Amino acid sequence: MANLRAENLSKRYRQGEREVVALEGFTFSFPQGSTAVVGPSGSGKTTLLNLLAGFDLPTEGGVYLGELALHQLSEDQRAEVRLRNMGFVFQQWNLIPTLTAWENVAFPLLLAGLPPKTRRERALALLEAVGLLERAHHLPSRLSGGEQQRVALARALALDPPILFADEPTGNLDASSREQVASLLFEAGQARTLILVTHDLELASQADRILHLRGGRLVRVATPAPG
């Protein structure tokens, strides 16, 4: 599995006459397992995720997947790297409203060019893994928030990516659904690199390590106490 790492990563932008420093000098190599990124609003968490995933480009420094320099690729090349190597779980679920649960899960497989039978079998197997096989033919509007997030997680795992990003994945869920989604998320993260951005310190404490950001800088790396 290719290692994802950031080297001296910085992001600045102009806001009127003022230069805003969103991230400054971030260096970290993300090992297999789960890494939670925490910090107050404006600390650089979302900026970091966007840079690591290649949604945005750094002002300085770089992001590397193994020996591949993501920041030196074109937008289309970065999109291809994301499709093949990264899965995403967002706070808002981002399911396609006109597709059923299994069709949503199968969508990355369609983009990757897999045949219909393979797409359907893989999607149904993933829905079974997250406990939603009986909801496979339901549209997102007929699913609860927790169910939609489990569909989103299944979709993120469709191409078995080595890297999984989760951006506030339990932020819109009730307590029961939060616990269920968190359990599935960390289980999925054991065999890959899971990078979790969250305000929820209880959720972050379940990760293998916690990165604390403040003012756009990495100020602390912590290992939660067992149990």
Side-chain angles (χ1 to χ4, degrees), residues 141-178:
S141 59
R142 295 183 60 198
L143 301 174
S144 69
E147 288 171 338
Q148 290 190 61
Q149 191 61 298
R150 282 187 279 158
V151 171
L153 176 57
R155 180 183 60 186
L157 298 175
L159 287 169
D160 194 22
I163 300 167
L164 182 62
F165 290 98
D167 187 8
E168 300 287 359
T170 60
N172 284 338
L173 305 180
D174 59 42
S176 175
S177 295
R178 277 201 303 271

Side-chain angles (χ1 to χ4, degrees), residues 9-71:
L9 205 57
S10 297
K11 182 65 179 182
R12 304 184 188 89
Y13 58 92
R14 303 295 304 182
Q15 194 173 73
E17 296 296 311
R18 191 166 64 98
E19 182 182 68
V20 176
V21 179
L23 195 71
E24 183 75 18
F26 179 93
T27 296
F28 192 77
S29 183
F30 292 87
Q32 182 174 321
S34 52
T35 301
V37 181
V38 302
S41 295
S43 61
K45 299 188 302 297
T46 298
T47 297
L48 175 62
L49 185 150
N50 287 337
L51 292 173
L52 292 174
F55 289 125
D56 199 3
L57 294 174
T59 307
E60 295 172 5
V63 177
Y64 299 86
L65 182 58
E67 297 307 310
L68 184 66
L70 295 186
H71 57 288

Side-chain angles (χ1 to χ4, degrees), residues 177-204:
S177 295
R178 277 201 303 271
E179 187 174 324
Q180 192 172 30
V181 167
S183 176
L184 290 166
L185 187 64
F186 285 111
E187 182 181 348
Q190 290 176 1
R192 47 179 55 85
T193 298
L194 168 63
I195 300 171
L196 165 70
V197 170
T198 183
H199 283 94
D200 186 343
L201 295 182
E202 184 178 343
L203 179 66

